[in-house]
Amino acid sequence: MDLHINSLYLCVNDMDRAIKFYEELFEQEVTERDELYSVFEVNGFRLGLFAYKLTNETHEFGSNCIPSFSVDDLKLLDAKLKGKDICFPITRIGNNWVAEFVDPEGNHIEMTAPAK
């Protein structure tokens, strides 16, 4: 099958707040900024931020689809989680350290690091 997953978007209530949060998390500026749909390109993957209210779309926030980002080690994972709203603390699962936090827009985000 010739199928590629190359992007994902998160619904946000406040575009400026979401951009600021993800610029800090990714340590880079937003790639494309727009009041309706902004994009971060991270190592070839596009993470979009969608201001759904501007299109009168309804949305239920939940934790049924969780984007997962990885970092190189436990020390960096711990640093990235500082000040975040943690909903699943750093836990070793198999060969990875795994944690989950809630972004300012109510989206659940997972971060992992290899366990050595």
Side-chain angles (χ1 to χ4, degrees), residues 70-104:
S70 62
V71 294
D72 292 336
D73 58 50
L74 180 59
K75 184 177 177 180
L76 184 53
L77 175 61
D78 190 50
K80 286 288 188 184
L81 294 173
K82 292 274 189 262
K84 306 288 187 291
D85 180 9
I86 306 298
C87 58
F88 183 81
I90 296 175
T91 303
R92 185 174 179 153
I93 300 176
N95 293 325
N96 289 296
W97 292 106
V98 178
E100 187 177 321
F101 61 91
V102 182
D103 78 3

PDB file of all heavy atoms in Angstrom, residues 70-104:
ATOM      1  N   SER A  70       8.671  12.350  20.560  1.00  0.00           N
ATOM      2  CA  SER A  70       9.764  11.694  21.270  1.00  0.00           C
ATOM      3  C   SER A  70      10.964  12.629  21.397  1.00  0.00           C
ATOM      4  O   SER A  70      11.179  13.497  20.562  1.00  0.00           O
ATOM      5  CB  SER A  70      10.176  10.412  20.547  1.00  0.00           C
ATOM      6  OG  SER A  70      10.649  10.699  19.249  1.00  0.00           O
ATOM      7  N   VAL A  71      11.710  12.424  22.465  1.00  0.00           N
ATOM      8  CA  VAL A  71      12.964  13.126  22.690  1.00  0.00           C
ATOM      9  C   VAL A  71      14.048  12.075  22.930  1.00  0.00           C
ATOM     10  O   VAL A  71      13.746  10.891  23.081  1.00  0.00           O
ATOM     11  CB  VAL A  71      12.865  14.116  23.877  1.00  0.00           C
ATOM     12  CG1 VAL A  71      11.894  15.248  23.550  1.00  0.00           C
ATOM     13  CG2 VAL A  71      12.450  13.419  25.155  1.00  0.00           C
ATOM     14  N   ASP A  72      15.301  12.516  22.970  1.00  0.00           N
ATOM     15  CA  ASP A  72      16.428  11.585  22.989  1.00  0.00           C
ATOM     16  C   ASP A  72      16.681  10.867  24.302  1.00  0.00           C
ATOM     17  O   ASP A  72      17.236   9.781  24.308  1.00  0.00           O
ATOM     18  CB  ASP A  72      17.706  12.305  22.571  1.00  0.00           C
ATOM     19  CG  ASP A  72      17.674  12.703  21.103  1.00  0.00           C
ATOM     20  OD1 ASP A  72      16.941  12.068  20.326  1.00  0.00           O
ATOM     21  OD2 ASP A  72      18.392  13.654  20.747  1.00  0.00           O
ATOM     22  N   ASP A  73      16.303  11.491  25.439  1.00  0.00           N
ATOM     23  CA  ASP A  73      16.628  10.833  26.704  1.00  0.00           C
ATOM     24  C   ASP A  73      15.704  11.306  27.824  1.00  0.00           C
ATOM     25  O   ASP A  73      14.956  12.274  27.669  1.00  0.00           O
ATOM     26  CB  ASP A  73      18.093  11.042  27.092  1.00  0.00           C
ATOM     27  CG  ASP A  73      18.484  12.506  27.213  1.00  0.00           C
ATOM     28  OD1 ASP A  73      17.777  13.278  27.894  1.00  0.00           O
ATOM     29  OD2 ASP A  73      19.510  12.886  26.632  1.00  0.00           O
ATOM     30  N   LEU A  74      15.758  10.605  28.946  1.00  0.00           N
ATOM     31  CA  LEU A  74      14.898  10.882  30.090  1.00  0.00           C
ATOM     32  C   LEU A  74      15.121  12.285  30.649  1.00  0.00           C
ATOM     33  O   LEU A  74      14.161  12.954  31.036  1.00  0.00           O
ATOM     34  CB  LEU A  74      15.126   9.824  31.179  1.00  0.00           C
ATOM     35  CG  LEU A  74      14.310   9.964  32.456  1.00  0.00           C
ATOM     36  CD1 LEU A  74      12.811   9.933  32.166  1.00  0.00           C
ATOM     37  CD2 LEU A  74      14.691   8.864  33.440  1.00  0.00           C
ATOM     38  N   LYS A  75      16.349  12.746  30.683  1.00  0.00           N
ATOM     39  CA  LYS A  75      16.647  14.087  31.208  1.00  0.00           C
ATOM     40  C   LYS A  75      15.928  15.155  30.383  1.00  0.00           C
ATOM     41  O   LYS A  75      15.325  16.077  30.926  1.00  0.00           O
ATOM     42  CB  LYS A  75      18.161  14.319  31.200  1.00  0.00           C
ATOM     43  CG  LYS A  75      18.585  15.622  31.810  1.00  0.00           C
ATOM     44  CD  LYS A  75      20.100  15.750  31.835  1.00  0.00           C
ATOM     45  CE  LYS A  75      20.516  17.092  32.389  1.00  0.00           C
ATOM     46  NZ  LYS A  75      21.965  17.241  32.435  1.00  0.00           N
ATOM     47  N   LEU A  76      15.961  15.031  29.060  1.00  0.00           N
ATOM     48  CA  LEU A  76      15.277  15.990  28.194  1.00  0.00           C
ATOM     49  C   LEU A  76      13.762  15.865  28.327  1.00  0.00           C
ATOM     50  O   LEU A  76      13.049  16.865  28.342  1.00  0.00           O
ATOM     51  CB  LEU A  76      15.711  15.800  26.738  1.00  0.00           C
ATOM     52  CG  LEU A  76      15.161  16.796  25.728  1.00  0.00           C
ATOM     53  CD1 LEU A  76      15.425  18.245  26.143  1.00  0.00           C
ATOM     54  CD2 LEU A  76      15.740  16.526  24.348  1.00  0.00           C
ATOM     55  N   LEU A  77      13.272  14.638  28.461  1.00  0.00           N
ATOM     56  CA  LEU A  77      11.831  14.432  28.669  1.00  0.00           C
ATOM     57  C   LEU A  77      11.387  15.158  29.931  1.00  0.00           C
ATOM     58  O   LEU A  77      10.401  15.901  29.920  1.00  0.00           O
ATOM     59  CB  LEU A  77      11.525  12.934  28.763  1.00  0.00           C
ATOM     60  CG  LEU A  77      10.079  12.556  29.098  1.00  0.00           C
ATOM     61  CD1 LEU A  77       9.111  13.059  28.033  1.00  0.00           C
ATOM     62  CD2 LEU A  77       9.955  11.051  29.275  1.00  0.00           C
ATOM     63  N   ASP A  78      12.119  14.967  30.999  1.00  0.00           N
ATOM     64  CA  ASP A  78      11.789  15.625  32.261  1.00  0.00           C
ATOM     65  C   ASP A  78      11.798  17.144  32.108  1.00  0.00           C
ATOM     66  O   ASP A  78      10.909  17.840  32.594  1.00  0.00           O
ATOM     67  CB  ASP A  78      12.764  15.182  33.350  1.00  0.00           C
ATOM     68  CG  ASP A  78      12.341  15.639  34.727  1.00  0.00           C
ATOM     69  OD1 ASP A  78      11.171  15.417  35.100  1.00  0.00           O
ATOM     70  OD2 ASP A  78      13.181  16.227  35.435  1.00  0.00           O
ATOM     71  N   ALA A  79      12.794  17.676  31.403  1.00  0.00           N
ATOM     72  CA  ALA A  79      12.885  19.125  31.191  1.00  0.00           C
ATOM     73  C   ALA A  79      11.706  19.642  30.371  1.00  0.00           C
ATOM     74  O   ALA A  79      11.155  20.706  30.664  1.00  0.00           O
ATOM     75  CB  ALA A  79      14.208  19.467  30.504  1.00  0.00           C
ATOM     76  N   LYS A  80      11.301  18.899  29.338  1.00  0.00           N
ATOM     77  CA  LYS A  80      10.192  19.321  28.483  1.00  0.00           C
ATOM     78  C   LYS A  80       8.862  19.330  29.232  1.00  0.00           C
ATOM     79  O   LYS A  80       7.943  20.069  28.877  1.00  0.00           O
ATOM     80  CB  LYS A  80      10.065  18.405  27.259  1.00  0.00           C
ATOM     81  CG  LYS A  80      11.132  18.626  26.221  1.00  0.00           C
ATOM     82  CD  LYS A  80      10.887  19.935  25.521  1.00  0.00           C
ATOM     83  CE  LYS A  80      11.802  20.120  24.351  1.00  0.00           C
ATOM     84  NZ  LYS A  80      11.613  21.444  23.748  1.00  0.00           N
ATOM     85  N   LEU A  81       8.742  18.516  30.281  1.00  0.00           N
ATOM     86  CA  LEU A  81       7.488  18.419  31.026  1.00  0.00           C
ATOM     87  C   LEU A  81       7.354  19.464  32.126  1.00  0.00           C
ATOM     88  O   LEU A  81       6.266  19.642  32.673  1.00  0.00           O
ATOM     89  CB  LEU A  81       7.352  17.017  31.627  1.00  0.00           C
ATOM     90  CG  LEU A  81       7.208  15.889  30.611  1.00  0.00           C
ATOM     91  CD1 LEU A  81       7.251  14.539  31.317  1.00  0.00           C
ATOM     92  CD2 LEU A  81       5.936  16.032  29.791  1.00  0.00           C
ATOM     93  N   LYS A  82       8.436  20.170  32.432  1.00  0.00           N
ATOM     94  CA  LYS A  82       8.400  21.179  33.499  1.00  0.00           C
ATOM     95  C   LYS A  82       7.311  22.213  33.224  1.00  0.00           C
ATOM     96  O   LYS A  82       7.223  22.771  32.137  1.00  0.00           O
ATOM     97  CB  LYS A  82       9.745  21.895  33.618  1.00  0.00           C
ATOM     98  CG  LYS A  82      10.863  21.020  34.113  1.00  0.00           C
ATOM     99  CD  LYS A  82      10.897  20.977  35.620  1.00  0.00           C
ATOM    100  CE  LYS A  82      12.151  20.291  36.115  1.00  0.00           C
ATOM    101  NZ  LYS A  82      11.957  18.902  36.465  1.00  0.00           N
ATOM    102  N   GLY A  83       6.464  22.432  34.222  1.00  0.00           N
ATOM    103  CA  GLY A  83       5.422  23.438  34.120  1.00  0.00           C
ATOM    104  C   GLY A  83       4.202  23.014  33.321  1.00  0.00           C
ATOM    105  O   GLY A  83       3.277  23.805  33.163  1.00  0.00           O
ATOM    106  N   LYS A  84       4.189  21.788  32.814  1.00  0.00           N
ATOM    107  CA  LYS A  84       3.050  21.309  32.021  1.00  0.00           C
ATOM    108  C   LYS A  84       1.998  20.696  32.947  1.00  0.00           C
ATOM    109  O   LYS A  84       2.287  20.279  34.061  1.00  0.00           O
ATOM    110  CB  LYS A  84       3.488  20.252  31.005  1.00  0.00           C
ATOM    111  CG  LYS A  84       4.623  20.655  30.080  1.00  0.00           C
ATOM    112  CD  LYS A  84       4.197  21.657  29.046  1.00  0.00           C
ATOM    113  CE  LYS A  84       5.257  21.950  28.025  1.00  0.00           C
ATOM    114  NZ  LYS A  84       6.434  22.670  28.470  1.00  0.00           N
ATOM    115  N   ASP A  85       0.772  20.633  32.480  1.00  0.00           N
ATOM    116  CA  ASP A  85      -0.345  20.006  33.189  1.00  0.00           C
ATOM    117  C   ASP A  85      -0.263  18.495  32.947  1.00  0.00           C
ATOM    118  O   ASP A  85      -0.799  17.981  31.974  1.00  0.00           O
ATOM    119  CB  ASP A  85      -1.659  20.588  32.674  1.00  0.00           C
ATOM    120  CG  ASP A  85      -2.882  19.995  33.340  1.00  0.00           C
ATOM    121  OD1 ASP A  85      -2.752  19.244  34.326  1.00  0.00           O
ATOM    122  OD2 ASP A  85      -4.000  20.280  32.850  1.00  0.00           O
ATOM    123  N   ILE A  86       0.433  17.783  33.818  1.00  0.00           N
ATOM    124  CA  ILE A  86       0.697  16.353  33.656  1.00  0.00           C
ATOM    125  C   ILE A  86      -0.553  15.546  34.021  1.00  0.00           C
ATOM    126  O   ILE A  86      -1.101  15.696  35.113  1.00  0.00           O
ATOM    127  CB  ILE A  86       1.871  15.894  34.549  1.00  0.00           C
ATOM    128  CG1 ILE A  86       3.121  16.737  34.306  1.00  0.00           C
ATOM    129  CG2 ILE A  86       2.148  14.401  34.360  1.00  0.00           C
ATOM    130  CD1 ILE A  86       3.679  16.677  32.914  1.00  0.00           C
ATOM    131  N   CYS A  87      -0.992  14.680  33.113  1.00  0.00           N
ATOM    132  CA  CYS A  87      -2.122  13.795  33.411  1.00  0.00           C
ATOM    133  C   CYS A  87      -1.693  12.335  33.501  1.00  0.00           C
ATOM    134  O   CYS A  87      -2.455  11.490  33.958  1.00  0.00           O
ATOM    135  CB  CYS A  87      -3.249  13.976  32.393  1.00  0.00           C
ATOM    136  SG  CYS A  87      -2.773  13.678  30.689  1.00  0.00           S
ATOM    137  N   PHE A  88      -0.467  12.025  33.060  1.00  0.00           N
ATOM    138  CA  PHE A  88       0.113  10.686  33.194  1.00  0.00           C
ATOM    139  C   PHE A  88       1.604  10.896  33.436  1.00  0.00           C
ATOM    140  O   PHE A  88       2.326  11.305  32.530  1.00  0.00           O
ATOM    141  CB  PHE A  88      -0.128   9.864  31.920  1.00  0.00           C
ATOM    142  CG  PHE A  88       0.364   8.447  31.988  1.00  0.00           C
ATOM    143  CD1 PHE A  88      -0.391   7.465  32.614  1.00  0.00           C
ATOM    144  CD2 PHE A  88       1.581   8.091  31.423  1.00  0.00           C
ATOM    145  CE1 PHE A  88       0.059   6.149  32.674  1.00  0.00           C
ATOM    146  CE2 PHE A  88       2.042   6.787  31.483  1.00  0.00           C
ATOM    147  CZ  PHE A  88       1.271   5.809  32.116  1.00  0.00           C
ATOM    148  N   PRO A  89       2.067  10.661  34.668  1.00  0.00           N
ATOM    149  CA  PRO A  89       3.465  10.952  34.993  1.00  0.00           C
ATOM    150  C   PRO A  89       4.427  10.018  34.261  1.00  0.00           C
ATOM    151  O   PRO A  89       4.044   8.960  33.764  1.00  0.00           O
ATOM    152  CB  PRO A  89       3.525  10.733  36.504  1.00  0.00           C
ATOM    153  CG  PRO A  89       2.420   9.779  36.793  1.00  0.00           C
ATOM    154  CD  PRO A  89       1.338  10.077  35.784  1.00  0.00           C
ATOM    155  N   ILE A  90       5.687  10.412  34.244  1.00  0.00           N
ATOM    156  CA  ILE A  90       6.716   9.605  33.578  1.00  0.00           C
ATOM    157  C   ILE A  90       6.689   8.189  34.162  1.00  0.00           C
ATOM    158  O   ILE A  90       6.831   7.996  35.366  1.00  0.00           O
ATOM    159  CB  ILE A  90       8.116  10.227  33.750  1.00  0.00           C
ATOM    160  CG1 ILE A  90       8.182  11.593  33.060  1.00  0.00           C
ATOM    161  CG2 ILE A  90       9.188   9.292  33.199  1.00  0.00           C
ATOM    162  CD1 ILE A  90       9.489  12.343  33.280  1.00  0.00           C
ATOM    163  N   THR A  91       6.480   7.244  33.258  1.00  0.00           N
ATOM    164  CA  THR A  91       6.368   5.834  33.628  1.00  0.00           C
ATOM    165  C   THR A  91       7.128   5.015  32.602  1.00  0.00           C
ATOM    166  O   THR A  91       7.035   5.285  31.401  1.00  0.00           O
ATOM    167  CB  THR A  91       4.880   5.395  33.629  1.00  0.00           C
ATOM    168  OG1 THR A  91       4.149   6.244  34.516  1.00  0.00           O
ATOM    169  CG2 THR A  91       4.722   3.947  34.045  1.00  0.00           C
ATOM    170  N   ARG A  92       7.849   4.026  33.066  1.00  0.00           N
ATOM    171  CA  ARG A  92       8.529   3.144  32.111  1.00  0.00           C
ATOM    172  C   ARG A  92       7.519   2.133  31.577  1.00  0.00           C
ATOM    173  O   ARG A  92       6.865   1.423  32.338  1.00  0.00           O
ATOM    174  CB  ARG A  92       9.698   2.431  32.764  1.00  0.00           C
ATOM    175  CG  ARG A  92      10.474   1.622  31.738  1.00  0.00           C
ATOM    176  CD  ARG A  92      11.715   1.009  32.289  1.00  0.00           C
ATOM    177  NE  ARG A  92      12.371   0.252  31.234  1.00  0.00           N
ATOM    178  CZ  ARG A  92      13.659   0.022  31.180  1.00  0.00           C
ATOM    179  NH1 ARG A  92      14.439   0.487  32.128  1.00  0.00           N
ATOM    180  NH2 ARG A  92      14.173  -0.683  30.200  1.00  0.00           N
ATOM    181  N   ILE A  93       7.406   2.091  30.259  1.00  0.00           N
ATOM    182  CA  ILE A  93       6.556   1.124  29.580  1.00  0.00           C
ATOM    183  C   ILE A  93       7.428   0.458  28.531  1.00  0.00           C
ATOM    184  O   ILE A  93       7.839   1.104  27.556  1.00  0.00           O
ATOM    185  CB  ILE A  93       5.322   1.779  28.933  1.00  0.00           C
ATOM    186  CG1 ILE A  93       4.468   2.468  30.008  1.00  0.00           C
ATOM    187  CG2 ILE A  93       4.511   0.758  28.145  1.00  0.00           C
ATOM    188  CD1 ILE A  93       3.269   3.227  29.469  1.00  0.00           C
ATOM    189  N   GLY A  94       7.731  -0.799  28.749  1.00  0.00           N
ATOM    190  CA  GLY A  94       8.612  -1.506  27.824  1.00  0.00           C
ATOM    191  C   GLY A  94       9.966  -0.844  27.760  1.00  0.00           C
ATOM    192  O   GLY A  94      10.616  -0.618  28.783  1.00  0.00           O
ATOM    193  N   ASN A  95      10.382  -0.487  26.561  1.00  0.00           N
ATOM    194  CA  ASN A  95      11.694   0.121  26.347  1.00  0.00           C
ATOM    195  C   ASN A  95      11.648   1.648  26.307  1.00  0.00           C
ATOM    196  O   ASN A  95      12.576   2.276  25.811  1.00  0.00           O
ATOM    197  CB  ASN A  95      12.306  -0.394  25.040  1.00  0.00           C
ATOM    198  CG  ASN A  95      12.647  -1.862  25.130  1.00  0.00           C
ATOM    199  OD1 ASN A  95      13.036  -2.347  26.178  1.00  0.00           O
ATOM    200  ND2 ASN A  95      12.483  -2.574  24.029  1.00  0.00           N
ATOM    201  N   ASN A  96      10.561   2.230  26.800  1.00  0.00           N
ATOM    202  CA  ASN A  96      10.408   3.688  26.745  1.00  0.00           C
ATOM    203  C   ASN A  96       9.950   4.263  28.074  1.00  0.00           C
ATOM    204  O   ASN A  96       9.247   3.613  28.842  1.00  0.00           O
ATOM    205  CB  ASN A  96       9.368   4.076  25.684  1.00  0.00           C
ATOM    206  CG  ASN A  96       9.862   3.853  24.293  1.00  0.00           C
ATOM    207  OD1 ASN A  96      10.823   4.479  23.863  1.00  0.00           O
ATOM    208  ND2 ASN A  96       9.222   2.952  23.577  1.00  0.00           N
ATOM    209  N   TRP A  97      10.345   5.524  28.292  1.00  0.00           N
ATOM    210  CA  TRP A  97       9.741   6.349  29.326  1.00  0.00           C
ATOM    211  C   TRP A  97       8.592   7.083  28.648  1.00  0.00           C
ATOM    212  O   TRP A  97       8.760   7.611  27.547  1.00  0.00           O
ATOM    213  CB  TRP A  97      10.753   7.351  29.887  1.00  0.00           C
ATOM    214  CG  TRP A  97      11.851   6.707  30.658  1.00  0.00           C
ATOM    215  CD1 TRP A  97      13.146   6.539  30.263  1.00  0.00           C
ATOM    216  CD2 TRP A  97      11.744   6.128  31.953  1.00  0.00           C
ATOM    217  NE1 TRP A  97      13.852   5.887  31.236  1.00  0.00           N
ATOM    218  CE2 TRP A  97      13.013   5.630  32.294  1.00  0.00           C
ATOM    219  CE3 TRP A  97      10.701   5.972  32.860  1.00  0.00           C
ATOM    220  CZ2 TRP A  97      13.272   4.992  33.506  1.00  0.00           C
ATOM    221  CZ3 TRP A  97      10.959   5.339  34.074  1.00  0.00           C
ATOM    222  CH2 TRP A  97      12.220   4.860  34.387  1.00  0.00           C
ATOM    223  N   VAL A  98       7.432   7.106  29.272  1.00  0.00           N
ATOM    224  CA  VAL A  98       6.237   7.680  28.659  1.00  0.00           C
ATOM    225  C   VAL A  98       5.579   8.627  29.655  1.00  0.00           C
ATOM    226  O   VAL A  98       5.477   8.316  30.847  1.00  0.00           O
ATOM    227  CB  VAL A  98       5.233   6.569  28.271  1.00  0.00           C
ATOM    228  CG1 VAL A  98       3.965   7.158  27.673  1.00  0.00           C
ATOM    229  CG2 VAL A  98       5.874   5.575  27.317  1.00  0.00           C
ATOM    230  N   ALA A  99       5.126   9.771  29.164  1.00  0.00           N
ATOM    231  CA  ALA A  99       4.366  10.715  29.979  1.00  0.00           C
ATOM    232  C   ALA A  99       3.320  11.379  29.089  1.00  0.00           C
ATOM    233  O   ALA A  99       3.446  11.386  27.864  1.00  0.00           O
ATOM    234  CB  ALA A  99       5.282  11.772  30.586  1.00  0.00           C
ATOM    235  N   GLU A 100       2.302  11.921  29.727  1.00  0.00           N
ATOM    236  CA  GLU A 100       1.246  12.604  28.971  1.00  0.00           C
ATOM    237  C   GLU A 100       0.878  13.893  29.709  1.00  0.00           C
ATOM    238  O   GLU A 100       0.825  13.931  30.929  1.00  0.00           O
ATOM    239  CB  GLU A 100       0.028  11.690  28.882  1.00  0.00           C
ATOM    240  CG  GLU A 100      -1.075  12.184  27.990  1.00  0.00           C
ATOM    241  CD  GLU A 100      -2.225  11.185  27.905  1.00  0.00           C
ATOM    242  OE1 GLU A 100      -1.953   9.973  27.857  1.00  0.00           O
ATOM    243  OE2 GLU A 100      -3.379  11.640  27.911  1.00  0.00           O
ATOM    244  N   PHE A 101       0.658  14.945  28.924  1.00  0.00           N
ATOM    245  CA  PHE A 101       0.241  16.214  29.503  1.00  0.00           C
ATOM    246  C   PHE A 101      -0.908  16.787  28.688  1.00  0.00           C
ATOM    247  O   PHE A 101      -1.226  16.302  27.605  1.00  0.00           O
ATOM    248  CB  PHE A 101       1.415  17.206  29.592  1.00  0.00           C
ATOM    249  CG  PHE A 101       2.022  17.577  28.263  1.00  0.00           C
ATOM    250  CD1 PHE A 101       1.553  18.680  27.565  1.00  0.00           C
ATOM    251  CD2 PHE A 101       3.067  16.840  27.728  1.00  0.00           C
ATOM    252  CE1 PHE A 101       2.119  19.028  26.344  1.00  0.00           C
ATOM    253  CE2 PHE A 101       3.641  17.191  26.515  1.00  0.00           C
ATOM    254  CZ  PHE A 101       3.165  18.283  25.818  1.00  0.00           C
ATOM    255  N   VAL A 102      -1.539  17.816  29.235  1.00  0.00           N
ATOM    256  CA  VAL A 102      -2.645  18.494  28.570  1.00  0.00           C
ATOM    257  C   VAL A 102      -2.149  19.868  28.154  1.00  0.00           C
ATOM    258  O   VAL A 102      -1.619  20.624  28.974  1.00  0.00           O
ATOM    259  CB  VAL A 102      -3.865  18.621  29.505  1.00  0.00           C
ATOM    260  CG1 VAL A 102      -5.026  19.295  28.783  1.00  0.00           C
ATOM    261  CG2 VAL A 102      -4.281  17.248  30.033  1.00  0.00           C
ATOM    262  N   ASP A 103      -2.296  20.201  26.864  1.00  0.00           N
ATOM    263  CA  ASP A 103      -1.861  21.518  26.405  1.00  0.00           C
ATOM    264  C   ASP A 103      -2.871  22.574  26.830  1.00  0.00           C
ATOM    265  O   ASP A 103      -3.944  22.247  27.345  1.00  0.00           O
ATOM    266  CB  ASP A 103      -1.575  21.511  24.893  1.00  0.00           C
ATOM    267  CG  ASP A 103      -2.803  21.566  24.009  1.00  0.00           C
ATOM    268  OD1 ASP A 103      -3.949  21.667  24.508  1.00  0.00           O
ATOM    269  OD2 ASP A 103      -2.628  21.502  22.775  1.00  0.00           O
ATOM    270  N   PRO A 104      -2.576  23.854  26.661  1.00  0.00           N
ATOM    271  CA  PRO A 104      -3.492  24.913  27.110  1.00  0.00           C
ATOM    272  C   PRO A 104      -4.851  24.895  26.409  1.00  0.00           C
ATOM    273  O   PRO A 104      -5.790  25.526  26.865  1.00  0.00           O
ATOM    274  CB  PRO A 104      -2.737  26.206  26.782  1.00  0.00           C
ATOM    275  CG  PRO A 104      -1.319  25.825  26.658  1.00  0.00           C
ATOM    276  CD  PRO A 104      -1.312  24.412  26.176  1.00  0.00           C
TER     277      PRO A 104
END
